[in-house]
């Protein structure tokens, strides 16, 4: 053996000793970052398709989470920041450093389950190669079984299992059956089909000191992920989870180099102005946002790249009726009452315009039972302009008292025509108004037979929804109250029907639209020629998501 060969051999022995010592250290002292330095990860960079998964190569969000994790964490994540990869590496590390441990990874569907297992095996194969190269047994224990759903390690007798959350309640209820879990990794939790059943199956089987990470992109506000994230955010999560959020502005790759130092980058909408004023983003970040928006569209950008957790949940709710532009416009036309007047000495009527003896008015109402949940709502409109002139809402007023209120307000506004929804509790209102012989009650095409009031059925409801599209999309409204705005923000498609979402009622929406529809039918609107008459059809999900309703 010549001198050069001796030097090479000594170098290899030194390297082998370092690898031997490092793995002994990272397993004994459970040094996760040292462990990751020996793993490799694939990238989308053609020049560097494979790089070490060392701490120096982690994204800023990965480093921040690793420093701030509690052991029970729920992460609201934007696209492509590497949280899933980080936690898959931790899944493998946990199994190798905890004797007898059961690690359970749950994906939202079967294709993702297979993808996660493949990504996990990239890390596993790195360790296999290292073990073979250096002939060091403690790098990786022998593997008793390895397939598309589980890996079972000998010596430490630990398991990693990957399952789907379940596409039906039966499968979902069986995900956690028969195992006692020491670590849980739950991915895309917001997209689970049956989260209550899956979670109810998994959590009771977990050990008292179970380590758990839940990571997901947002999927609106009507799901368990939204509920648990907000509980973790305000410290009320019953399972002890801590919430984490990472805005797109923190990701180092989301910026575009300026062609020149003095290259002008001007804001194009209120969102971009807010990014500059509130979050102090750079010109490079703004240029990246504008380039991405040009390709993807503003709505899709807002749904996938979030500035805060509120907008993440709001803009990912694809079933919402209002677009961001609609919401911005409606917010700009909210009006405040000039005064609040007591009716019958008890009920507060918001007045936006005083009655004018020269004008004609319409009163519209939607009736609830008065039991503290749904609201009975009253609107008063000036017929010629469609101006909103008064508003009332209460959830504890009984139907017969609401009938008296309708009559009182109608009398106040020059014996205004009264139209009310006659379904359910509306029958009591009809009886009371007729009994008291109010002189100006609506009876027409939307009444039932020769009766009075507004009968809501499939056809008339579709007609109302069609009018809503017209009023909102064509910016035909010029003044709304704050409660209507709130309901419209939480109004959208559910079970192929436009209605209130997230537990928010739609009583203001219905009362408002009933009044607007009667004004349209009477032809007394000053901009009536701009209204298109549609053949209204039943709303379908595909049509809704295209913003094409007819």
């Amino acid at each position: 053996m010549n001198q050069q060969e001796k030097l090479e051999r000594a170098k290899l022995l030194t390297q082998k000793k370092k690898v031997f010592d490092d793995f002994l250290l990272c397993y004994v002292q459970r040094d996760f970052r040292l462990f990751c330095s020996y793993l490799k990860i694939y990238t989308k960079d053609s020049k560097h398709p494979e790089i070490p998964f060392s701490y120096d190569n982690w994204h800023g969000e990965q480093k921040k989470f690793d420093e701030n994790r509690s052991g029970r964490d729920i992460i609201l994540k934007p696209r492509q920041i590497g949280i899933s990869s980080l936690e898959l590496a931790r899944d493998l590390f946990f199994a190798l450093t905890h004797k007898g441990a059961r690690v359970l990874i749950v994906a939202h569907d079967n294709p993702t389950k297979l993808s996660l297992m493949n990504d996990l095996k990239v890390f596993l194969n790195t360790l296999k190669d290292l073990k073979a190269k250096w002939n060091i047994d403690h790098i990786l224990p022998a593997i008793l079984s390895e397939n598309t759903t589980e890996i079972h390690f000998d010596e430490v007798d630990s398991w990693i299992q990957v399952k789907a959350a379940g596409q039906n309640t039966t499968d979902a209820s069986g995900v956690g059956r028969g195992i006692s879990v020491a670590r849980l990794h739950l991915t895309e939790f917001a997209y689970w089909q049956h989260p209550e059943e899956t979670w109810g199956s998994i959590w009771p089987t977990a050990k008292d000191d179970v380590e758990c990470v839940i990571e997901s992109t947002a999927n609106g506000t009507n799901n368990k992920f939204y509920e648990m994230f907000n509980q973790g955010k305000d410290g009320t999560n019953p399972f002890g989870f801590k919430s984490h959020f990472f805005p797109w502005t923190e990701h180092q790759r989301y910026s575009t180099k300026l062609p020149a130092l003095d290259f002008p980058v001007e804001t194009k909408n209120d969102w971009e102005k807010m990014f500059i004023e509130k979050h102090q983003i750079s010109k490079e970040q703004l240029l990246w946002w504008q380039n991405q928006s040009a390709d993807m569209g503003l709505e899709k950008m807002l749904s996938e790249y979030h500035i805060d957790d509120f907008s993440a949940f709001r803009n990912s709710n694809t079933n919402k009726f209002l677009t961001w532009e609609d919401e911005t416009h409606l917010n700009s036309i909210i009006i405040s009452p000039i005064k609040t007047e007591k009716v019958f000495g008890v009920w507060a009527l918001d007045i936006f315009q005083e009655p004018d003896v020269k004008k004609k008015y319409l009163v519209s109402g939607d009736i609830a039972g008065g039991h503290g949940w749904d609201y009975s709502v009253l609107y008063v409109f000036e017929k010629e302009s469609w101006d909103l002139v008064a508003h009332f809402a209460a959830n504890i007023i009984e139907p017969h008292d609401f009938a008296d209120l309708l009559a009182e307000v109608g009398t106040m506004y020059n014996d205004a025509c009264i139209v009310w929804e006659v379904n359910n509790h509306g029958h009591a209102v009809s009886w009371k108004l007729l009994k008291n012989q109010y002189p100006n009650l609506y009876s027409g095409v939307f009444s039932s037979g020769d009766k009075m009031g507004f009968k809501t059925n499939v056809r008339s409801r579709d007609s109302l929804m069609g009018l809503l599209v017209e009023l909102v999309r064509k910016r035909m409204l010029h003044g709304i109250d704050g409660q209507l705005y709130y309901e419209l923000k939480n109004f959208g498609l559910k079970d192929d029907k436009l209605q209130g979402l997230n537990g928010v009622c739609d009583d203001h929406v219905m009362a408002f639209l009933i009044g607007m529809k009667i004004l349209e039918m009477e032809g007394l609107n000053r901009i009536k020629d701009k209204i298109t008459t549609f053949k209204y059809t039943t709303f379908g999900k595909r049509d809704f998501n295209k913003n094409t309703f007819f």
Side-chain angles (χ1 to χ4, degrees), residues 3 6 25 52 89 93 130 161 225 228 257 287 305 401 453 459 526 546:
Q3 188 64 25
K6 289 180 180 179
L25 182 66
F93 182 68
L130 280 171
Q161 290 182 299
F225 178 72
M228 290 183 65
K257 187 177 180 180
L287 182 59
Y305 297 93
D401 291 329
R459 183 178 179 82
R526 59 184 169 81
K546 288 182 177 179

Side-chain angles (χ1 to χ4, degrees), residues 281-340:
I281 69 169
S282 66
K283 291 173 67 175
E284 290 81 0
Q285 288 176 308
L286 180 58
L287 182 59
W288 173 85
W289 175 271
Q290 291 177 344
N291 291 339
Q292 288 291 109
S293 296
D295 292 336
M296 297 174 61
L298 180 60
E299 282 296 312
K300 190 168 179 61
M301 283 293 291
L302 291 172
S303 70
E304 296 189 5
Y305 297 93
H306 313 302
I307 197 71
D308 55 41
D309 57 279
F310 174 80
S311 62
F313 286 114
R314 177 258 178 265
N315 290 308
S316 65
N317 198 341
T318 56
N319 282 354
K320 288 173 72 73
F321 170 69
L322 296 183
T323 65
W324 172 77
E325 290 88 351
D326 295 335
E327 195 169 309
T328 301
H329 169 70
L330 291 177
N331 186 55
S332 72
I333 62 170
I334 294 175
I335 56 177
S336 299
I338 59 174
K339 69 176 185 178
T340 299

Side-chain angles (χ1 to χ4, degrees), residues 70-74 184 186 189 195-196 198-214 224-225 227-243:
S70 68
R72 289 192 183 179
D73 302 279
I74 183 164
L184 283 168
L186 313 180
F189 189 86
E196 294 290 349
T198 307
W199 178 256
S201 166
I202 294 170
W203 193 253
T205 69
K207 293 184 177 181
D208 291 341
D209 60 346
V210 64
E211 183 174 297
C212 181
V213 60
I214 300 174
K224 191 171 184 65
F225 178 72
E227 173 191 334
M228 290 183 65
F229 179 86
N230 281 294
Q231 289 173 338
K233 182 180 176 182
D234 61 25
T236 61
N237 189 280
F239 310 107
F241 281 91
K242 176 183 177 181
S243 293

